[in-house]
Amino acid sequence: MKSFYITTAIDYVNGSPHLGHAYEKVLTDVIARFRRMMGDRVHFLTGVDEHGQKVQASARKRGIAPQQYVDEISAEFRALLPRLNISNDDFIRTTEERHKKVVREVLQRLFAQGEIYKAEYKGFYSTRQEQFLQEKDRLPGGAWPEIFGEVTEITESNYFFKLRGYQDWLIEFLTKHEHFIFPSYRQKQVLEFLKEPLNDLCISRPRERLEWGIPLPFDEGYVTYVWFDALLNYYSAVADQPGVWPAAWHVIGKDILVPPHAVYWPIMLHAAGIPLPHGIIAHGWWLQSGAKMSKSTGNALNPLDLVAEFGVDAFRYFLIREMNVGQDSEFTREQFLVRYNSELANNLGNLVNRTLNMTTRFAGGVLPSAELSEEPEQELHALWAKTRDEFIPLCEGFQFHTALERAMQFVTATNAYIEKRAPWKLGKSAEPRDQALLRTSLATMAEALRLGVALIQHVTPATTAKINDVLGYVPGDAWRDELHWGQKLDGASVAAALVLFPRPAPAVPPKG
Ligand code: MSP
């Protein structure tokens, strides 16, 4: 069995989770479930980033101790996971001892190897981004870009990690491992970034300025820079589990690719003598009116509102169907409703209703066998073979939006097949050929439905399970064996009805 370790970024707990955080969990879950369906031994980690200035500031604002604050908000992030049907195996908090222990060990090792030195630093610091700025970060007019928030000039002694010495190694590594970062155009951007000389990385913050962090093992007067601490979660969570590291894939947003994940992380691991992960998947942003959805801009949507209104699978389906992994997508309620109505309710929901309804009406609720195979059946079989063969490589290449589009095209074609065969007409005829065609069309639509929902199982697991259930079908363990057109439902007793995607309540009309 192939080992497949997949992680999400760990969220800052300085506010409630929003749709962007939910998307990353759902995308990672879809990949994890797909790899399990393909037979891999999957380990799926998610968690929270609990240290640092932002968290300390948020706790102060509330007038409570940081630990109490992170306990509260982390519980909120954790509670989101079952609501989104996320199949994670582990959840890490960076305040846990298992994590702090590994951070101390790695720091101590790098310090002992002479990779970390102390120096005085004078310059500009962004609290919001928790990073030191350089002259080249300024806008043409001299001001600091919005994203840095308040910028202050400071002078202090700190510890630095010798990043610069590894620049050539990293360039060579990325040149050799062309597919380290997905999408590949992002890898090119990293190589562009590496054309400028790297600065060594400041990995400490003096205790007087920041209390809330992991103390440096070699100098208690300092805490560890939050990114150096946070990145290590991917490794600390599995350090004592044999066979997991380094078969790792990190799913992150494009904003935290360069420099943390694409530069600091590989260099930290390489310098510490730890093998590198397999790759990084950098997704785009959910936007509202063109701007990144975020806590600080106040344009964030609560994912749980959408789940409450439309159900978890409709929510998951929309996120995965709408977003091309790597690119940005605008979130609008209108577009959500378009896909909900046309793809889920009217297409898939309709096929389920017709199958159950007609099998009940014309066959006493027991699925008959297909007896004939004429042009309409053969066309559908051929489309199935093509859909299935293209589907797996699309998912392997993270092209889930296209994979779902193909699966839905197959569902559309099955509905068109039903129109062509018109079982409601055949049911009125006593002719033996019409009766054989009726049985064939019932068997064909049910088998096509079973196959169609097997394809979307990683995206809509609860819906697939419900549909299998009403079809009286228990799938086998090997997902790929389920994908053969195989009359698997002959003689199955189906339920009379299933409401999957009810019509949403009409939006409240604007006042006035
Ligand atoms: N704590 C760091 C990550 C450390 S990983 C070792 C962090 N946290 S975050 O809470 O700001 O973001 C967590 C993840 O959510 C990131 O991958 C980020 O890209 C993602 N998203 C936050 N807003 C987003 C959107 N509007 N759209 C999609 N994902 C975005 O960064």
Side-chain angles (χ1 to χ4, degrees):
M1 246 183 163
K2 212 171 92 208
S3 198
F4 188 89
Y5 174 34
I6 189 144
T7 65
T8 66
I10 50 172
D11 301 318
Y12 286 128
V13 291
N14 60 336
S16 299
H18 62 65
L19 187 112
H21 301 124
Y23 169 69
E24 188 168 294
K25 311 291 179 296
V26 171
L27 171 64
T28 312
D29 186 60
V30 165
I31 300 172
R33 285 179 189 267
F34 174 70
R35 296 310 325 178
R36 287 192 201 106
M37 280 151 57
M38 294 293 284
D40 291 355
R41 191 180 59 228
V42 172
H43 188 76
F44 173 6
L45 173 75
T46 184
V48 279
D49 188 353
E50 300 193 318
H51 289 127
Q53 193 89 47
K54 287 187 202 192
V55 173
Q56 178 171 296
S58 300
R60 286 220 174 119
K61 226 196 233 160
R62 288 262 311 272
I64 56 177
Q67 189 62 53
Q68 187 190 343
Y69 177 79
V70 296
D71 285 350
E72 222 173 84
I73 309 278
S74 293
E76 210 183 312
F77 274 88
R78 194 176 210 148
L80 181 68
L81 302 170
R83 305 286 295 277
L84 300 177
N85 211 349
I86 304 299
S87 62
N88 57 305
D89 299 289
D90 194 1
F91 183 90
I92 190 159
R93 300 178 58 181
T94 52
T95 49
E96 286 172 52
E97 187 49 36
R98 61 168 169 162
H99 172 72
K100 295 196 274 195
K101 178 174 157 259
V102 170
V103 173
R104 283 193 299 265
E105 276 167 15
V106 170
L107 281 167
Q108 190 61 54
R109 195 184 314 168
L110 292 173
F111 187 67
Q113 284 170 208
E115 301 286 358
I116 291 172
Y117 63 91
K118 194 173 186 183
E120 179 151 293
Y121 175 88
K122 183 171 185 293
F124 292 94
Y125 187 75
S126 152
T127 308
R128 180 176 310 162
Q129 297 301 329
E130 303 196 27
Q131 78 187 58
F132 291 99
L133 304 178
Q134 292 162 37
E135 284 306 315
K136 69 172 188 308
D137 293 322
R138 287 188 195 266
L139 293 171
W144 298 105
E146 195 40 56
I147 54 155
F148 293 126
E150 192 194 345
V151 174
T152 42
E153 194 172 16
I154 55 175
T155 306
E156 65 189 25
S157 286
N158 267 309
Y159 286 89
F160 290 81
F161 169 49
K162 293 182 181 168
L163 215 56
R164 182 175 295 179
Y166 289 98
Q167 181 156 4
D168 290 342
W169 167 81
L170 183 59
I171 292 170
E172 201 189 314
F173 173 84
L174 290 174
T175 313
K176 255 199 226 146
H177 299 85
E178 267 180 87
H179 302 292
F180 187 66
I181 298 165
F182 176 88
S184 53
Y185 57 82
R186 295 258 173 239
Q187 179 137 344
K188 294 206 181 83
Q189 288 172 358
V190 179
L191 284 164
E192 270 311 299
F193 176 85
L194 289 170
K195 285 188 174 154
E196 294 287 319
L198 284 178
N199 288 313
D200 287 346
L201 177 66
C202 178
I203 55 144
S204 65
R205 298 293 182 265
R207 264 263 175 77
E208 336 47 281
R209 194 149 66 75
L210 179 65
E211 265 291 318
W212 188 236
I214 303 176
L216 291 181
F218 43 82
D219 190 339
E220 292 278 316
Y222 291 84
V223 299
T224 311
Y225 170 45
V226 69
W227 270 106
F228 196 97
D229 157 357
L231 286 162
L232 278 164
N233 89 89
Y234 303 133
Y235 178 68
S236 69
V238 296
D240 60 358
Q241 293 180 41
V244 179
W245 191 266
W249 284 91
H250 305 308
V251 178
I252 57 163
K254 64 178 188 180
D255 49 322
I256 55 172
L257 180 67
V258 189
H261 282 85
V263 180
Y264 304 162
W265 183 225
I267 293 180
M268 281 163 65
L269 289 168
H270 180 65
I274 302 169
L276 264 65
H278 282 204
I280 299 171
I281 299 157
H283 62 74
W285 290 337
W286 283 98
L287 312 174
Q288 286 245 285
S289 313
K292 182 189 177 208
M293 204 184 280
S294 81
K295 286 169 281 215
S296 45
T297 42
N299 63 353
L301 287 179
N302 181 349
L304 292 177
D305 291 346
L306 288 157
V307 170
E309 192 174 357
F310 297 99
V312 64
D313 277 358
F315 176 72
R316 293 171 56 109
Y317 177 85
F318 177 77
L319 296 183
I320 300 301
R321 173 71 187 85
E322 185 71 14
M323 179 99 90
N324 177 345
V325 178
Q327 291 172 21
D328 295 346
S329 271
E330 183 71 31
F331 186 95
T332 68
R333 189 177 170 88
E334 290 71 34
Q335 179 66 356
F336 191 102
L337 285 174
V338 165
R339 290 209 188 277
Y340 181 87
N341 286 324
S342 67
E343 297 174 26
L344 295 177
N346 297 343
N347 198 20
L348 180 59
N350 194 20
L351 177 57
V352 173
N353 288 338
R354 286 167 137 184
T355 306
L356 300 182
N357 198 316
M358 289 193 260
T359 308
T360 306
R361 242 167 84 203
F362 301 122
V366 178
L367 280 167
S369 312
E371 293 166 34
L372 303 166
S373 180
E374 298 180 354
E375 206 186 314
E377 286 75 30
Q378 286 163 14
E379 259 179 31
L380 198 61
H381 291 170
L383 179 66
W384 168 251
K386 185 170 179 289
T387 305
R388 179 199 54 201
D389 292 348
E390 289 175 0
F391 191 85
I392 292 179
L394 283 169
C395 292
E396 283 173 331
F398 314 120
Q399 301 295 300
F400 296 110
H401 66 301
T402 311
L404 282 185
E405 183 183 31
R406 299 287 162 79
M408 281 300 156
Q409 279 163 355
F410 177 69
V411 172
T412 307
T414 307
N415 276 317
Y417 164 83
I418 298 173
E419 296 293 326
K420 211 178 282 171
R421 281 304 190 198
W424 47 90
K425 282 190 198 151
L426 298 169
K428 287 189 192 135
S429 160
E431 285 291 314
R433 179 180 147 79
D434 287 343
Q435 287 296 312
L437 270 183
L438 173 63
R439 288 190 290 273
T440 300
S441 60
L442 294 176
T444 303
M445 70 176 89
E447 181 67 355
L449 173 60
R450 177 188 75 77
L451 291 165
V453 299
L455 287 188
I456 59 174
Q457 184 181 313
H458 48 324
V459 182
T460 58
T463 300
T464 297
K466 266 190 221 158
I467 295 175
N468 279 329
D469 199 44
V470 293
L471 288 175
Y473 182 63
V474 181
D477 291 338
W479 177 73
R480 285 174 113 162
D481 295 346
E482 294 296 308
L483 304 183
H484 301 296
W485 193 297
Q487 311 278 321
K488 283 197 161 72
L489 298 169
D490 288 9
S493 293
V494 308
L498 170 69
V499 180
L500 271 179
F501 303 105
R503 294 235 153 260
V508 184
K511 284 194 189 122

